C-alpha cells in the first residue's frame, strides 16, 4: 500500500541535528592528472568502443604499463564502464595492467619465446640467464610463439626482435633501445605497379573482367583458405555476396600458431600482392570498409602496411589497420571479430556464421593473408597454372613454414602433396648436422605429431586426418633423435593452457588438467583419452577441439616415450 511521504514516521538517528561531514563521492574517482594525460594522448582520435584496444596500445607504448588511474580515465573519456575497460585490458597479454597498490613495471620488457622450436634451440637456458643478468629497469618474461621459428631462439626487446638470440645480443639490443630497429627490404608500390601490379584490380573495377569470371577462376583452381581451415575461397566470397548489404571485410593476420610465419614473410617481402588481393575481394563482395588485423608481434609488417596504404591512389574501400595484443585465440575468426570490436577475444557460438552476422552485426568476408596473396597469380596465370603444381595426385602450391632440426629453415614454396622427407631433402638442405630425423609436426601446434617412419604421407588438406593430424597452416616442425617427443607434446599443451580464453570449461579446465597429468612420470591413458574426447566434443572453438592432438599422437605413435601408469 502506498504511503504519503509526509505521513511516514521519521526515525531519529544518532547525531541528527549536528553538522554532517561532507559526503564521500561514490564510485571510482578520476584522477585529474591521469584524465589530462589520456585526453592529450588520444588527441582528436574518435572515442568509439571498437577503438578501445587501439587506445590501450597508446597508453602501453607511452608508459610501458597501464595504471588503474589511466584505465579509469580512459573509461571516462570513452563513456564506458571501468569494468568493460578493465576486463578487455587484462584479457590481452601485451597490456601490462598495474592494479592499485602494485609496483610499477620495469620500463623495458624482454620477452623470450618458449614455444616448441625456440625451446628446442635453448630458450629455457636463455631465459634463465637473462633473468639473472638483465639488471635493474629490465623485466624478462616468457612469451608464446612470436612467429620467428626459422631464426630460433627468438627474443623481443620492446618492439625490436632479436633473431638467434643469445644473452649478449639481447642485452646489446636492450642497451641500444626498444623501438623498431629497421624494416626489411620489400617490394614497394612503384616497383609493384611497374611489374604489372593492380592491372587485375583495374580490370575488375572497370567491368572489363566480371565478378563471375574472377570467381570462376578461384573455383577452378580450388583455392582454399590458407589460415588453417581450408574452406574454398570462391564459395566463401559467393556466400557473403549472397547476404543483404551493407557488407564488411576483415583480414585475419593474427598468425599465432606455433611454427607458423608464412604470413609475416609475405607481408614483409611483397605486401602489395596481398593488398591487391584484399581490394579485389572487397570489390567482389561490395565491402565498403576493410579491417586488417595484424598481430602485435609483427611490428614491421604493420609499419610496412601503414606506409604502403598511404601510397594507394584515392578511392576504393576505407582501410582500418588494427593491432592485436597478444592473444592466440584471436586467430579464430569469431574471436577476431570480437577483438576488432574492442572486446575480449571470446569465440562466438555458431550459427550464425560470420558471413551472415559478422563484424558489427553485418555480413563479413574473412580471409587469411596468404589466401588473398595468391588471388592475382591465380586469376592472371589461370587455374591450370595453379593446378599444374602438385605431387602425389594433389594440386596447387603450399607455403610451408619449416623450422626445427633442418639445415635451412624458412618459408618453402613447394608443391601440394609433397612428403615431409622430400621437403627436408629438396627444400631444407637435409637434416641439421648431427641430427637424425625422428618426428614431425605437419600442421603446427594443433596438427598432431607423426614419427619419421610415416614420412611418406602427402602433405595437403584431407591427407592427414585419418592419422589424427591435419596440415592446418602448413607449419612443419622437424624433431630429431635428440628431442623428446613427449616433452614436445607437453610444451604444446602448456601453450594451449596459457592461451585458452577461459570461456568454456572443457578447454579451460581440460588443458590445465592435461598438463598436470602429462607432467607425471607415467601417464594415465584411460583418463587422458577420456579428457581428450571431452575437449574435442564440447569445446566451443578449434583451440580446445584440437589441443589434445599432440597428446594422443604420442600415445598412438611413440610407444617408446609413452609410459603408462600401472592400474
Amino acid at each position: 500500500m502506498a504511503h504519503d511521504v509526509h505521513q511516514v514516521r521519521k526515525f531519529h538517528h544518532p547525531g541528527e541535528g549536528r553538522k554532517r561531514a561532507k559526503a564521500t563521492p561514490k564510485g571510482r574517482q578520476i584522477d585529474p592528472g591521469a584524465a589530462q594525460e589520456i585526453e592529450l594522448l588520444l588527441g582528436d582520435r574518435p572515442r568509439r568502443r571498437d577503438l578501445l584496444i587501439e587506445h590501450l596500445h597508446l597508453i602501453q607504448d607511452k608508459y610501458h604499463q597501464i595504471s588503474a588511474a589511466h584505465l579509469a580515465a580512459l573509461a571516462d573519456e570513452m563513456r564506458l564502464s571501468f569494468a568493460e575497460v578493465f576486463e578487455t585490458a587484462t584479457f590481452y597479454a601485451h597490456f601490462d595492467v598495474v592494479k592499485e597498490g602494485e609496483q610499477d613495471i620495469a620500463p623495458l620488457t624482454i620477452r623470450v619465446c618458449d614455444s616448441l622450436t625456440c625451446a628446442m634451440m635453448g630458450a629455457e637456458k636463455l631465459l634463465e640467464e637473462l633473468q639473472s643478468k638483465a639488471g635493474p629497469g629490465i623485466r624478462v618474461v616468457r612469451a608464446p610463439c612470436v612467429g620467428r621459428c626459422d631464426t630460433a631462439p627468438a627474443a623481443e626487446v620492446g618492439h625490436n626482435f632479436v633473431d638467434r638470440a643469445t644473452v649478449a645480443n639481447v642485452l646489446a639490443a636492450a642497451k641500444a633501445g626498444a623501438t623498431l630497429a629497421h624494416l626489411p627490404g620489400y617490394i614497394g608500390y612503384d616497383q609493384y605497379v611497374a611489374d604489372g601490379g593492380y592491372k587485375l584490380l583495374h580490370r575488375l573495377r572497370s567491368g572489363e573482367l566480371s565478378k563471375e569470371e574472377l570467381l570462376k577462376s578461384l573455383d577452378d583452381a580450388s583455392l582454399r583458405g590458407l589460415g588453417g581451415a581450408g574452406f574454398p575461397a570462391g564459395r566463401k566470397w559467393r556466400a557473403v555476396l549472397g547476404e543483404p548489404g551493407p557488407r564488411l571485410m576483415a583480414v585475419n593476420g593474427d598468425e599465432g600458431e606455433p611454427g607458423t610465419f608464412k604470413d609475416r614473410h609475405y607481408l614483409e617481402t611483397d605486401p602489395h600482392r596481398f593488398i591487391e588481393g584484399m581490394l579485389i575481394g572487397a570489390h567482389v563482395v561490395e565491402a565498403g570498409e576493410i579491417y586488417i588485423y595484424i598481430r602485435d608481434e609483427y611490428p614491421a609488417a604493420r609499419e610496412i602496411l601503414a606506409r604502403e596504404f598511404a601510397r594507394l591512389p584515392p578511392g576504393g574501400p576505407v582501410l582500418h589497420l588494427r593491432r592485436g595484443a597478444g592473444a592466440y585465440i584471436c586467430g579464430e575468426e569469431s574471436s577476431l571479430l570480437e577483438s576488432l570490436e574492442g572486446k575480449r577475444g571470446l569465440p562466438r557460438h555458431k550459427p550464425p556464421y560470420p558471413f551472415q552476422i559478422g563484424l558489427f552485426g553485418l555480413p563479413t568476408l574473412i580471409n587469411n593473408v596468404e589466401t588473398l596473396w595468391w588471388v592475382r597469380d591465380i586469376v592472371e596465370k589461370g587455374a591450370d597454372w595453379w593446378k599444374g603444381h602438385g605431387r602425389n595426385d594433389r594440386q596447387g602450391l603450399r607455403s610451408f613454414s619449416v623450422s626445427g632440426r633442418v639445415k635451412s629453415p624458412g618459408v618453402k614454396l613447394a608443391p601440394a602433396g609433397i612428403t615431409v622427407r622430400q621437403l627436408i631433402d629438396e627444400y631444407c638442405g637435409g637434416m641439421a648436422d648431427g641430427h637424425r630425423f625422428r618426428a614431425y609436426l605437419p600442421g603446427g601446434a594443433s596438427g598432431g605429431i607423426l614419427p619419421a617412419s610415416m614420412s611418406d604421407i602427402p602433405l595437403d588438406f584431407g591427407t592427414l586426418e585419418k592419422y589424427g593430424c591435419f596440415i592446418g597452416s602448413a607449419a612443419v616442425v622437424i624433431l630429431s633423435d635428440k628431442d623428446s617427443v613427449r616433452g614436445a607434446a607437453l610444451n604444446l599443451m602448456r601453450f594451449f593452457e596459457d592461451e585458452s580464453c577461459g570461456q568454456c570449461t572443457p578447454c579451460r579446465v581440460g588443458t590445465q588438467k592435461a598438463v598436470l597429468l602429462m607432467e607425471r612420470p607415467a601417464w594415465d591413458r584411460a583418463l587422458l583419452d577420456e579428457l581428450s574426447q571431452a575437449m574435442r566434443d564440447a569445446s566451443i572453438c578449434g583451440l580446445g577441439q584440437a589441443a589434445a592432438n599432440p597428446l594422443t599422437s604420442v600415445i598412438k605413435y611413440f610407444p617408446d616415450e609413452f609410459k603408462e601408469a600401472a592400474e
Side-chain angles (χ1 to χ4, degrees), residues 201-224:
L201 177 63
H202 294 324
R203 290 178 60 209
L204 185 65
R205 286 178 172 175
S206 68
E208 179 186 344
L209 177 71
S210 71
K211 293 181 182 179
E212 184 55 40
E213 288 174 308
L214 187 138
L215 286 168
K216 187 176 185 304
S217 294
L218 301 185
D219 291 340
D220 290 346
S222 299
L223 177 64
R224 301 176 68 165

PDB file of all heavy atoms in Angstrom, residues 201-224:
ATOM      1  N   LEU A 201      43.049  -5.529 -60.673  1.00  0.00           N
ATOM      2  CA  LEU A 201      42.063  -4.760 -59.917  1.00  0.00           C
ATOM      3  C   LEU A 201      41.392  -3.731 -60.817  1.00  0.00           C
ATOM      4  O   LEU A 201      40.158  -3.554 -60.765  1.00  0.00           O
ATOM      5  CB  LEU A 201      42.732  -4.072 -58.729  1.00  0.00           C
ATOM      6  CG  LEU A 201      41.836  -3.171 -57.874  1.00  0.00           C
ATOM      7  CD1 LEU A 201      40.720  -3.980 -57.221  1.00  0.00           C
ATOM      8  CD2 LEU A 201      42.659  -2.446 -56.807  1.00  0.00           C
ATOM      9  N   HIS A 202      42.172  -3.047 -61.652  1.00  0.00           N
ATOM     10  CA  HIS A 202      41.595  -2.050 -62.562  1.00  0.00           C
ATOM     11  C   HIS A 202      40.641  -2.709 -63.553  1.00  0.00           C
ATOM     12  O   HIS A 202      39.582  -2.149 -63.877  1.00  0.00           O
ATOM     13  CB  HIS A 202      42.711  -1.316 -63.313  1.00  0.00           C
ATOM     14  CG  HIS A 202      43.583  -0.473 -62.428  1.00  0.00           C
ATOM     15  ND1 HIS A 202      43.095   0.211 -61.343  1.00  0.00           N
ATOM     16  CD2 HIS A 202      44.923  -0.199 -62.484  1.00  0.00           C
ATOM     17  CE1 HIS A 202      44.083   0.875 -60.743  1.00  0.00           C
ATOM     18  NE2 HIS A 202      45.210   0.622 -61.416  1.00  0.00           N
ATOM     19  N   ARG A 203      41.005  -3.875 -64.069  1.00  0.00           N
ATOM     20  CA  ARG A 203      40.129  -4.595 -64.996  1.00  0.00           C
ATOM     21  C   ARG A 203      38.801  -4.948 -64.331  1.00  0.00           C
ATOM     22  O   ARG A 203      37.721  -4.861 -64.938  1.00  0.00           O
ATOM     23  CB  ARG A 203      40.810  -5.865 -65.491  1.00  0.00           C
ATOM     24  CG  ARG A 203      41.972  -5.660 -66.436  1.00  0.00           C
ATOM     25  CD  ARG A 203      42.583  -7.000 -66.809  1.00  0.00           C
ATOM     26  NE  ARG A 203      41.606  -7.869 -67.462  1.00  0.00           N
ATOM     27  CZ  ARG A 203      41.633  -9.203 -67.406  1.00  0.00           C
ATOM     28  NH1 ARG A 203      42.580  -9.820 -66.695  1.00  0.00           N
ATOM     29  NH2 ARG A 203      40.713  -9.905 -68.030  1.00  0.00           N
ATOM     30  N   LEU A 204      38.881  -5.337 -63.066  1.00  0.00           N
ATOM     31  CA  LEU A 204      37.666  -5.712 -62.334  1.00  0.00           C
ATOM     32  C   LEU A 204      36.796  -4.496 -62.072  1.00  0.00           C
ATOM     33  O   LEU A 204      35.571  -4.522 -62.271  1.00  0.00           O
ATOM     34  CB  LEU A 204      38.059  -6.398 -61.020  1.00  0.00           C
ATOM     35  CG  LEU A 204      36.930  -6.978 -60.173  1.00  0.00           C
ATOM     36  CD1 LEU A 204      36.246  -8.127 -60.896  1.00  0.00           C
ATOM     37  CD2 LEU A 204      37.473  -7.452 -58.828  1.00  0.00           C
ATOM     38  N   ARG A 205      37.413  -3.413 -61.635  1.00  0.00           N
ATOM     39  CA  ARG A 205      36.643  -2.209 -61.307  1.00  0.00           C
ATOM     40  C   ARG A 205      36.043  -1.565 -62.545  1.00  0.00           C
ATOM     41  O   ARG A 205      34.968  -0.947 -62.486  1.00  0.00           O
ATOM     42  CB  ARG A 205      37.537  -1.208 -60.572  1.00  0.00           C
ATOM     43  CG  ARG A 205      37.838  -1.608 -59.131  1.00  0.00           C
ATOM     44  CD  ARG A 205      38.774  -0.614 -58.464  1.00  0.00           C
ATOM     45  NE  ARG A 205      38.919  -0.878 -57.031  1.00  0.00           N
ATOM     46  CZ  ARG A 205      39.755  -0.217 -56.236  1.00  0.00           C
ATOM     47  NH1 ARG A 205      40.535   0.738 -56.734  1.00  0.00           N
ATOM     48  NH2 ARG A 205      39.830  -0.514 -54.947  1.00  0.00           N
ATOM     49  N   SER A 206      36.720  -1.689 -63.682  1.00  0.00           N
ATOM     50  CA  SER A 206      36.219  -1.075 -64.921  1.00  0.00           C
ATOM     51  C   SER A 206      35.131  -1.898 -65.576  1.00  0.00           C
ATOM     52  O   SER A 206      34.445  -1.420 -66.485  1.00  0.00           O
ATOM     53  CB  SER A 206      37.383  -0.885 -65.904  1.00  0.00           C
ATOM     54  OG  SER A 206      37.864  -2.140 -66.372  1.00  0.00           O
ATOM     55  N   GLY A 207      34.983  -3.154 -65.139  1.00  0.00           N
ATOM     56  CA  GLY A 207      33.995  -4.027 -65.745  1.00  0.00           C
ATOM     57  C   GLY A 207      34.539  -4.874 -66.870  1.00  0.00           C
ATOM     58  O   GLY A 207      33.815  -5.716 -67.437  1.00  0.00           O
ATOM     59  N   GLU A 208      35.822  -4.660 -67.239  1.00  0.00           N
ATOM     60  CA  GLU A 208      36.424  -5.484 -68.281  1.00  0.00           C
ATOM     61  C   GLU A 208      36.431  -6.952 -67.882  1.00  0.00           C
ATOM     62  O   GLU A 208      36.260  -7.848 -68.717  1.00  0.00           O
ATOM     63  CB  GLU A 208      37.853  -5.001 -68.558  1.00  0.00           C
ATOM     64  CG  GLU A 208      38.583  -5.807 -69.620  1.00  0.00           C
ATOM     65  CD  GLU A 208      40.042  -5.404 -69.767  1.00  0.00           C
ATOM     66  OE1 GLU A 208      40.414  -4.310 -69.276  1.00  0.00           O
ATOM     67  OE2 GLU A 208      40.807  -6.186 -70.361  1.00  0.00           O
ATOM     68  N   LEU A 209      36.651  -7.203 -66.579  1.00  0.00           N
ATOM     69  CA  LEU A 209      36.585  -8.551 -66.009  1.00  0.00           C
ATOM     70  C   LEU A 209      35.401  -8.590 -65.055  1.00  0.00           C
ATOM     71  O   LEU A 209      35.296  -7.757 -64.147  1.00  0.00           O
ATOM     72  CB  LEU A 209      37.881  -8.884 -65.260  1.00  0.00           C
ATOM     73  CG  LEU A 209      37.930 -10.236 -64.544  1.00  0.00           C
ATOM     74  CD1 LEU A 209      38.016 -11.370 -65.564  1.00  0.00           C
ATOM     75  CD2 LEU A 209      39.122 -10.300 -63.580  1.00  0.00           C
ATOM     76  N   SER A 210      34.517  -9.527 -65.268  1.00  0.00           N
ATOM     77  CA  SER A 210      33.329  -9.597 -64.408  1.00  0.00           C
ATOM     78  C   SER A 210      33.631 -10.321 -63.105  1.00  0.00           C
ATOM     79  O   SER A 210      34.594 -11.097 -63.015  1.00  0.00           O
ATOM     80  CB  SER A 210      32.195 -10.321 -65.143  1.00  0.00           C
ATOM     81  OG  SER A 210      32.484 -11.708 -65.260  1.00  0.00           O
ATOM     82  N   LYS A 211      32.812 -10.084 -62.110  1.00  0.00           N
ATOM     83  CA  LYS A 211      32.947 -10.784 -60.829  1.00  0.00           C
ATOM     84  C   LYS A 211      32.822 -12.290 -61.028  1.00  0.00           C
ATOM     85  O   LYS A 211      33.557 -13.068 -60.427  1.00  0.00           O
ATOM     86  CB  LYS A 211      31.888 -10.295 -59.840  1.00  0.00           C
ATOM     87  CG  LYS A 211      32.030  -8.863 -59.386  1.00  0.00           C
ATOM     88  CD  LYS A 211      30.923  -8.531 -58.402  1.00  0.00           C
ATOM     89  CE  LYS A 211      31.008  -7.078 -57.955  1.00  0.00           C
ATOM     90  NZ  LYS A 211      29.916  -6.741 -57.002  1.00  0.00           N
ATOM     91  N   GLU A 212      31.884 -12.674 -61.871  1.00  0.00           N
ATOM     92  CA  GLU A 212      31.650 -14.096 -62.076  1.00  0.00           C
ATOM     93  C   GLU A 212      32.872 -14.770 -62.714  1.00  0.00           C
ATOM     94  O   GLU A 212      33.224 -15.897 -62.362  1.00  0.00           O
ATOM     95  CB  GLU A 212      30.420 -14.310 -62.947  1.00  0.00           C
ATOM     96  CG  GLU A 212      30.041 -15.761 -63.140  1.00  0.00           C
ATOM     97  CD  GLU A 212      29.851 -16.517 -61.839  1.00  0.00           C
ATOM     98  OE1 GLU A 212      29.280 -15.945 -60.876  1.00  0.00           O
ATOM     99  OE2 GLU A 212      30.284 -17.686 -61.762  1.00  0.00           O
ATOM    100  N   GLU A 213      33.522 -14.072 -63.653  1.00  0.00           N
ATOM    101  CA  GLU A 213      34.727 -14.633 -64.269  1.00  0.00           C
ATOM    102  C   GLU A 213      35.830 -14.811 -63.235  1.00  0.00           C
ATOM    103  O   GLU A 213      36.539 -15.820 -63.229  1.00  0.00           O
ATOM    104  CB  GLU A 213      35.209 -13.724 -65.404  1.00  0.00           C
ATOM    105  CG  GLU A 213      34.333 -13.742 -66.648  1.00  0.00           C
ATOM    106  CD  GLU A 213      34.789 -12.719 -67.677  1.00  0.00           C
ATOM    107  OE1 GLU A 213      34.956 -11.532 -67.315  1.00  0.00           O
ATOM    108  OE2 GLU A 213      34.985 -13.106 -68.852  1.00  0.00           O
ATOM    109  N   LEU A 214      35.973 -13.825 -62.367  1.00  0.00           N
ATOM    110  CA  LEU A 214      37.004 -13.920 -61.335  1.00  0.00           C
ATOM    111  C   LEU A 214      36.697 -15.044 -60.357  1.00  0.00           C
ATOM    112  O   LEU A 214      37.584 -15.837 -60.004  1.00  0.00           O
ATOM    113  CB  LEU A 214      37.142 -12.589 -60.588  1.00  0.00           C
ATOM    114  CG  LEU A 214      38.306 -12.522 -59.606  1.00  0.00           C
ATOM    115  CD1 LEU A 214      39.011 -11.174 -59.694  1.00  0.00           C
ATOM    116  CD2 LEU A 214      37.839 -12.762 -58.170  1.00  0.00           C
ATOM    117  N   LEU A 215      35.456 -15.126 -59.931  1.00  0.00           N
ATOM    118  CA  LEU A 215      35.079 -16.187 -59.002  1.00  0.00           C
ATOM    119  C   LEU A 215      35.250 -17.564 -59.629  1.00  0.00           C
ATOM    120  O   LEU A 215      35.644 -18.522 -58.957  1.00  0.00           O
ATOM    121  CB  LEU A 215      33.629 -15.984 -58.549  1.00  0.00           C
ATOM    122  CG  LEU A 215      33.392 -14.845 -57.560  1.00  0.00           C
ATOM    123  CD1 LEU A 215      31.899 -14.566 -57.412  1.00  0.00           C
ATOM    124  CD2 LEU A 215      34.004 -15.175 -56.212  1.00  0.00           C
ATOM    125  N   LYS A 216      34.976 -17.671 -60.930  1.00  0.00           N
ATOM    126  CA  LYS A 216      35.163 -18.952 -61.608  1.00  0.00           C
ATOM    127  C   LYS A 216      36.635 -19.368 -61.601  1.00  0.00           C
ATOM    128  O   LYS A 216      36.952 -20.560 -61.452  1.00  0.00           O
ATOM    129  CB  LYS A 216      34.646 -18.873 -63.033  1.00  0.00           C
ATOM    130  CG  LYS A 216      34.650 -20.221 -63.767  1.00  0.00           C
ATOM    131  CD  LYS A 216      34.037 -20.112 -65.148  1.00  0.00           C
ATOM    132  CE  LYS A 216      33.934 -21.479 -65.817  1.00  0.00           C
ATOM    133  NZ  LYS A 216      35.235 -22.181 -65.905  1.00  0.00           N
ATOM    134  N   SER A 217      37.546 -18.385 -61.728  1.00  0.00           N
ATOM    135  CA  SER A 217      38.974 -18.700 -61.669  1.00  0.00           C
ATOM    136  C   SER A 217      39.348 -19.285 -60.314  1.00  0.00           C
ATOM    137  O   SER A 217      40.105 -20.259 -60.222  1.00  0.00           O
ATOM    138  CB  SER A 217      39.801 -17.446 -61.954  1.00  0.00           C
ATOM    139  OG  SER A 217      39.623 -16.999 -63.274  1.00  0.00           O
ATOM    140  N   LEU A 218      38.819 -18.690 -59.261  1.00  0.00           N
ATOM    141  CA  LEU A 218      39.110 -19.205 -57.921  1.00  0.00           C
ATOM    142  C   LEU A 218      38.502 -20.587 -57.725  1.00  0.00           C
ATOM    143  O   LEU A 218      39.127 -21.470 -57.122  1.00  0.00           O
ATOM    144  CB  LEU A 218      38.585 -18.234 -56.857  1.00  0.00           C
ATOM    145  CG  LEU A 218      39.141 -16.806 -56.876  1.00  0.00           C
ATOM    146  CD1 LEU A 218      38.595 -16.018 -55.678  1.00  0.00           C
ATOM    147  CD2 LEU A 218      40.654 -16.803 -56.858  1.00  0.00           C
ATOM    148  N   ASP A 219      37.280 -20.764 -58.227  1.00  0.00           N
ATOM    149  CA  ASP A 219      36.631 -22.073 -58.115  1.00  0.00           C
ATOM    150  C   ASP A 219      37.405 -23.140 -58.885  1.00  0.00           C
ATOM    151  O   ASP A 219      37.635 -24.247 -58.390  1.00  0.00           O
ATOM    152  CB  ASP A 219      35.201 -21.996 -58.641  1.00  0.00           C
ATOM    153  CG  ASP A 219      34.279 -21.170 -57.767  1.00  0.00           C
ATOM    154  OD1 ASP A 219      34.616 -20.978 -56.579  1.00  0.00           O
ATOM    155  OD2 ASP A 219      33.235 -20.711 -58.269  1.00  0.00           O
ATOM    156  N   ASP A 220      37.805 -22.808 -60.115  1.00  0.00           N
ATOM    157  CA  ASP A 220      38.503 -23.779 -60.953  1.00  0.00           C
ATOM    158  C   ASP A 220      39.850 -24.178 -60.365  1.00  0.00           C
ATOM    159  O   ASP A 220      40.293 -25.324 -60.520  1.00  0.00           O
ATOM    160  CB  ASP A 220      38.710 -23.210 -62.364  1.00  0.00           C
ATOM    161  CG  ASP A 220      37.412 -23.092 -63.147  1.00  0.00           C
ATOM    162  OD1 ASP A 220      36.406 -23.686 -62.710  1.00  0.00           O
ATOM    163  OD2 ASP A 220      37.401 -22.396 -64.184  1.00  0.00           O
ATOM    164  N   ALA A 221      40.496 -23.220 -59.686  1.00  0.00           N
ATOM    165  CA  ALA A 221      41.797 -23.516 -59.073  1.00  0.00           C
ATOM    166  C   ALA A 221      41.648 -24.219 -57.731  1.00  0.00           C
ATOM    167  O   ALA A 221      42.631 -24.717 -57.183  1.00  0.00           O
ATOM    168  CB  ALA A 221      42.582 -22.220 -58.887  1.00  0.00           C
ATOM    169  N   SER A 222      40.433 -24.241 -57.200  1.00  0.00           N
ATOM    170  CA  SER A 222      40.172 -24.827 -55.880  1.00  0.00           C
ATOM    171  C   SER A 222      41.026 -24.170 -54.800  1.00  0.00           C
ATOM    172  O   SER A 222      41.548 -24.848 -53.909  1.00  0.00           O
ATOM    173  CB  SER A 222      40.419 -26.346 -55.903  1.00  0.00           C
ATOM    174  OG  SER A 222      39.565 -26.979 -56.828  1.00  0.00           O
ATOM    175  N   LEU A 223      41.152 -22.829 -54.891  1.00  0.00           N
ATOM    176  CA  LEU A 223      41.882 -22.096 -53.848  1.00  0.00           C
ATOM    177  C   LEU A 223      41.125 -22.219 -52.536  1.00  0.00           C
ATOM    178  O   LEU A 223      39.930 -21.935 -52.473  1.00  0.00           O
ATOM    179  CB  LEU A 223      42.033 -20.626 -54.227  1.00  0.00           C
ATOM    180  CG  LEU A 223      42.722 -19.736 -53.187  1.00  0.00           C
ATOM    181  CD1 LEU A 223      44.179 -20.164 -52.975  1.00  0.00           C
ATOM    182  CD2 LEU A 223      42.641 -18.264 -53.592  1.00  0.00           C
ATOM    183  N   ARG A 224      41.843 -22.627 -51.496  1.00  0.00           N
ATOM    184  CA  ARG A 224      41.224 -22.811 -50.192  1.00  0.00           C
ATOM    185  C   ARG A 224      41.841 -21.862 -49.179  1.00  0.00           C
ATOM    186  O   ARG A 224      42.944 -21.334 -49.378  1.00  0.00           O
ATOM    187  CB  ARG A 224      41.397 -24.258 -49.726  1.00  0.00           C
ATOM    188  CG  ARG A 224      40.772 -25.245 -50.700  1.00  0.00           C
ATOM    189  CD  ARG A 224      41.008 -26.677 -50.320  1.00  0.00           C
ATOM    190  NE  ARG A 224      40.301 -27.050 -49.096  1.00  0.00           N
ATOM    191  CZ  ARG A 224      40.107 -28.311 -48.710  1.00  0.00           C
ATOM    192  NH1 ARG A 224      40.545 -29.306 -49.452  1.00  0.00           N
ATOM    193  NH2 ARG A 224      39.470 -28.592 -47.584  1.00  0.00           N
TER     194      ARG A 224
END
